[in-house]
Amino acid sequence: MDEINLRQKFLLILIIVTVSRNAISYSEDVAQSFRGLFTRHSNKRLSSIQADFVSNVSLDVCTGECVAAARFQCKSFSYDSIRRSCFLYAVNLNDPDVRLVDVEGRDHYETSYLKQFARLPSHEVRLMTSQSISSISPEECARRCILETRFKCRGFNYEHVVGQPVRCLLVESSPATGSQAAMTNEATDFYQKETEGAISSFINYGMGMLRPTITSEVYQRSVRGVTADGCAQRCLDETTFDCLSFDYVHEDDNRQNICHLSQYIAANVQGLVVDSVNPRHNHFERIERFLNYFYATPYAVIQGNNMKTFTKVTPNRCARLCMEEDAFVCRSFDYTVVPEATCLLSSKTSRDVGGLDTASGHVHHFEMKPLLDCGGNLTEPEGGFASPNWPRNYAHHENCVWNITTSRNKVIELRFTHFDLGLQSSDECSDEDDRLVVTDSGYRPYCVKPNTKTVTTKTNSVRLQFLSNAEVDAQGFRAFYRAEWTCNMLLKESPGEFASPKWPENYPSGSRCTWRITAPEGQRVHIVFTSFALEHHALGHCNEKLDHVRILDGGTVGSSLIGLYCGSRPSFAVVSSGQDVLVQFSSDNDPQASRPGFHAKFVFEAMNGSISDKDSRFINIGEGVEASKWQGTEEEDTRVVGSLLSSEDLLSARDESTSNGFRSAMWAVVTCLLLLVGALAVALFLVIRHYRRKINGEMEKSVDEDDSYPMESMPLQSIESSFRKNQFNNRVDLTGGAEAVAASCTVTSRNEDVATTFEEEKLPSASTALMHPRPPPRLHRPQSSYGKYHEDNVKNINIEDKTQV
């Protein structure tokens, strides 16, 4: 009787239920919320006999029936998708002699209360133990904690001491409340119940604190006397820095709790350390955007099942890589903090490998949560969705509808990382097949084909409906969407805007876009380019073979040219003379030349230049608006304002663009010819100078070789000229009638600070010279030819004393 009362109190929190099952009424939203409490085994049933049976119900109702069962404890159920029958069991796979049996068309669901808890291996919360239960599984212990009514169970310690029965210790305290710290204990795992408030936005990594660094302070702010939830709220509210983690000290020496806020995570500082003096530190890290889709199990790992590795990434980045992986279905990842912040992706989960291994170092395991949403309204600029139960197989009889709506003048780009709806018949969109139907506003519905990678809508609103039958199931699909700027559109609504593809990010190479803007009769188009950054063109002339924007004053490709624009420009305005304007954007095939592109807004105005009050608020004539600051119109308008231009118009536009590019091509040819003539003139000048130097060198050589006459027949002026013609270290030997000749020469080198003086040199007497004749002297040329350095040395030779013979 007590068990029934406990269960009924739990059910009052989840649903409104009566004692009679026939009086139970579930809404679809409430029924679907129960799916998170169960784990699906496809094409399986339990070998035991069912405790109850319900016919002609949906899967969601069957799930609610198991949760609401009051006559017995429903531990699992099977669902026959063909007969729409529900089989409830009082046993599960943890009971002895119970196993799974293969059967087509039936799926078995096991309760998974542990999904409501965050596991912290090798940790425990001491004291405050309110109840102890022996010899039960962690799943049963989690169920007891959830159903407990005598006290508020915040978690449990699960002891698994070798040689002793396992024990489940329910506790009223947890690190989230700030009253108890999680302490290390190799024989105990702590399971913390999912929390509420600010602390639910953080992962508790147990005992430890950020490792101090020499270069910078790891804590940017510290607060005393706050709870752990209050510390988490301060981190979320911090504006002076990006708070990503905090260390919480449970009662220091002054018996005060201390909150240390930090802009770092453990991966930034090479892990955590334990304060041996006061080991009552717990480290919490913020659950960033993509980590919200994963269950975190610190200090645990899947051994030997990693399929792809990344280094030097944060946990949040690793989670995103797992979600966007398209080579295989990523279901989990291990994150190693030291030494290189390593991310290891895997297609396995703990259930696939028989459980997790406890890690000895700073290694943490993350498993993707099942995506349970079956449809919804999506209005964010970007997001994602998937078939129910992703990354596992979807269930039978699914009927899910997603409505995606983006801002005006944009379209929706869908990107599928995985798409597998099983075998398909030859008929497109057959009722016999599982299918994803796309309905673009104002267009005929169609089905996404197998192996599809991308789908781009024609409007800013799309409806996607997923339908599955009763026969087979498959992996399903994972899709991401993003609002993109229109390309090749007819725009008729004012005010409006358009931009290059993917603006403000770099536009892709090979882009070709055409916008035709048509105003009502008697009005003209006023365009303001708020941002303009295209590939730079040489010589300041825009070349249509490179990235450019071409604006025509009319609605056809034969209209007169308003201007050709390229490079980077400040904001500028363009006004048509009539009611139509054609804007063409083209980028070449060079990805290195890609730039952010352009963004423009337009309004319609009367021919006299007046603009309506609404349009004047939307656009400031002659003034640019930064893309990051502009917020669009005051009223949200999601109507379809454009339509695709025909393929004939686009083809003729490209042909016209090519013909009108002849003028730019001629300018390029003339420029090249001028450059060629200049290069030839420079080359001719260099050749002439070379031969002129060569001729002068040969003439000087011929003069120098005619110097074999005897020195005694040389006049004094010739001797002086010979000295000037040679370097300062050349010697002249005189053979003649002089007994001795004294010559003193002072030579000044190019460096004016250095001077060399030649001392006297005695010459042989005349009689000696006659007895021992010497060969005629030759003036020795230096190793180098007459260059500037040699000429300077010759000019600096000064003969101070003329030799007398």
Side-chain angles (χ1 to χ4, degrees), residues 119 301-303 349-357:
R119 181 187 172 206
V301 65
I302 289 182
Q303 297 285 0
T349 63
S350 58
R351 191 183 76 181
D352 300 321
V353 298
L356 297 175
D357 296 325

Side-chain angles (χ1 to χ4, degrees), residues 707-723 726 730-738 741 763 769 774-780 803-805:
D707 56 0
S708 59
Y709 44 83
M711 183 63 69
E712 58 267 26
S713 64
M714 293 176 63
L716 183 62
Q717 291 80 1
S718 298
I719 298 175
E720 180 178 346
S721 175
S722 298
F723 272 91
N726 288 275
N730 290 337
R731 297 287 183 86
V732 179
D733 295 332
L734 301 179
T735 59
V741 178
L763 299 179
R774 301 178 64 180
R778 296 181 62 86
L779 298 177
H780 302 284
T803 306
Q804 299 293 331
V805 181

Side-chain angles (χ1 to χ4, degrees), residues 394-523:
Y394 54 82
H396 303 284
H397 300 292
E398 297 284 14
N399 186 354
C400 310
V401 176
W402 291 273
N403 293 301
I404 307 176
T405 304
T406 65
S407 59
R408 211 168 55 125
N409 298 315
K410 288 190 176 182
V411 294
I412 301 167
E413 182 183 82
L414 297 169
R415 180 173 62 89
F416 293 91
T417 58
H418 300 276
F419 192 88
D420 179 13
L421 301 184
L423 296 176
Q424 302 287 301
S425 62
S426 58
D427 297 334
E428 184 178 355
C429 278
S430 172
D431 292 340
E432 299 178 357
D433 298 332
D434 296 346
R435 56 202 182 275
L436 180 64
V437 184
V438 179
T439 305
D440 212 340
S441 296
Y443 292 86
R444 181 175 176 270
Y446 62 93
C447 289
V448 180
K449 296 180 180 180
N451 301 319
T452 297
K453 294 298 182 182
T454 59
V455 171
T456 302
T457 66
K458 299 178 177 63
T459 65
N460 67 323
S461 179
V462 66
R463 180 179 186 267
L464 297 106
Q465 184 178 19
F466 172 61
L467 298 166
S468 65
N469 56 30
E471 297 179 2
V472 297
D473 59 6
Q475 180 66 58
F477 60 87
R478 183 73 169 104
F480 297 89
Y481 76 89
R482 175 176 174 172
E484 292 288 358
W485 292 99
T486 59
C487 192
N488 306 326
M489 294 292 290
L490 175 63
L491 305 175
K492 295 182 178 181
E493 293 288 334
S494 174
E497 57 182 323
F498 60 96
S500 55
K502 297 189 180 301
W503 184 87
E505 299 178 8
N506 288 4
Y507 51 79
S509 58
S511 297
R512 300 288 186 275
C513 294
T514 300
W515 297 270
R516 178 180 173 182
I517 308 174
T518 300
E521 190 71 29
Q523 294 187 350

Side-chain angles (χ1 to χ4, degrees), residues 105-171:
R106 186 183 296 187
D107 299 330
H108 182 69
Y109 292 82
E110 289 274 319
T111 58
S112 184
Y113 292 105
L114 279 177
K115 290 183 179 180
Q116 309 301 314
F117 292 80
R119 181 187 172 206
L120 190 58
S122 302
H123 282 74
E124 67 173 339
V125 173
R126 300 174 183 174
L127 305 178
M128 305 292 291
T129 299
S130 301
Q131 187 176 358
S132 176
I133 311 163
S134 300
S135 302
I136 63 173
S137 65
E139 175 69 19
E140 179 62 22
C141 190
R143 174 181 169 276
R144 294 289 186 98
C145 184
I146 291 177
L147 297 178
E148 184 58 58
T149 58
R150 291 169 296 178
F151 60 91
K152 188 171 184 178
C153 181
R154 300 183 182 274
F156 61 90
N157 294 319
Y158 193 76
E159 293 183 353
H160 43 85
V161 181
V162 178
Q164 299 181 14
V166 295
R167 285 203 309 163
C168 168
L169 306 172
L170 306 184
V171 297

Side-chain angles (χ1 to χ4, degrees), residues 486-718:
T486 59
C487 192
N488 306 326
M489 294 292 290
L490 175 63
L491 305 175
K492 295 182 178 181
E493 293 288 334
S494 174
E497 57 182 323
F498 60 96
S500 55
K502 297 189 180 301
W503 184 87
E505 299 178 8
N506 288 4
Y507 51 79
S509 58
S511 297
R512 300 288 186 275
C513 294
T514 300
W515 297 270
R516 178 180 173 182
I517 308 174
T518 300
E521 190 71 29
Q523 294 187 350
R524 61 184 181 182
V525 182
H526 192 123
I527 306 175
V528 170
F529 286 85
T530 63
S531 176
F532 199 95
L534 271 60
E535 178 185 4
H536 177 70
H537 294 203
L539 303 178
H541 296 291
C542 292
N543 184 356
E544 292 195 4
K545 293 186 177 181
L546 303 179
D547 303 351
H548 67 278
V549 170
R550 186 167 172 262
I551 303 179
L552 302 176
D553 192 11
T556 63
V557 294
S559 303
S560 59
L561 180 67
I562 294 179
L564 191 69
Y565 305 94
C566 60
S568 296
R569 302 169 57 96
S571 61
F572 63 97
V574 174
V575 181
S576 67
S577 61
Q579 70 179 111
D580 292 307
V581 166
L582 200 65
V583 181
Q584 297 174 323
F585 168 67
S586 175
S587 65
D588 56 27
N589 294 321
D590 182 10
Q592 301 296 328
S594 181
R595 298 292 187 275
F598 67 89
H599 171 261
K601 299 186 291 181
F602 68 88
V603 294
F604 300 153
E605 63 181 18
M607 289 299 181
N608 59 8
S610 61
I611 305 177
S612 66
D613 293 338
K614 177 183 177 182
D615 290 351
S616 65
R617 292 195 301 268
F618 175 76
I619 185 171
N620 294 323
I621 301 303
E623 296 182 3
V625 180
E626 296 183 16
S628 59
K629 296 181 179 179
W630 180 73
Q631 300 297 328
T633 57
E634 293 181 357
E635 299 178 359
E636 181 66 22
D637 187 358
T638 58
R639 293 174 296 168
V640 178
V641 297
S643 59
L644 290 176
L645 292 176
S646 65
S647 58
E648 292 79 5
D649 289 340
L650 295 178
L651 182 61
S652 61
R654 285 193 290 270
D655 294 340
E656 182 69 15
S657 175
T658 303
S659 62
N660 288 342
F662 177 76
R663 182 176 59 183
S664 298
M666 290 300 299
W667 274 107
V669 172
V670 172
T671 302
C672 291
L673 291 176
L674 291 176
L675 292 175
L676 181 60
V677 170
L680 291 175
V682 172
L684 182 62
F685 170 76
L686 294 175
V687 171
I688 294 174
R689 188 175 69 173
H690 171 72
Y691 280 101
R692 184 176 180 182
R693 287 183 175 180
K694 185 175 181 181
I695 294 171
N696 291 339
E698 291 177 353
M699 293 177 62
E700 293 175 354
K701 181 177 180 181
S702 62
V703 173
D704 294 340
E705 290 178 350
D706 191 18
D707 56 0
S708 59
Y709 44 83
M711 183 63 69
E712 58 267 26
S713 64
M714 293 176 63
L716 183 62
Q717 291 80 1
S718 298

Side-chain angles (χ1 to χ4, degrees), residues 180-191:
Q180 284 291 318
M183 312 292 285
T184 56
N185 186 338
E186 295 296 332
T188 304
D189 295 338
F190 176 67
Y191 291 82

Side-chain angles (χ1 to χ4, degrees), residues 249-289:
V249 184
H250 297 264
E251 297 184 359
D252 63 353
D253 296 337
N254 298 323
R255 303 193 64 80
Q256 280 189 319
N257 298 331
I258 304 178
C259 167
H260 298 295
L261 305 182
S262 177
Q263 62 184 354
Y264 302 108
I265 59 176
N268 300 133
V269 295
Q270 293 293 302
L272 304 177
V273 295
V274 176
D275 188 351
S276 57
V277 178
N278 183 10
R280 300 172 65 83
H281 291 75
N282 277 179
H283 180 68
F284 295 80
E285 288 189 7
R286 192 168 181 174
I287 302 176
E288 298 183 77
R289 175 184 175 185

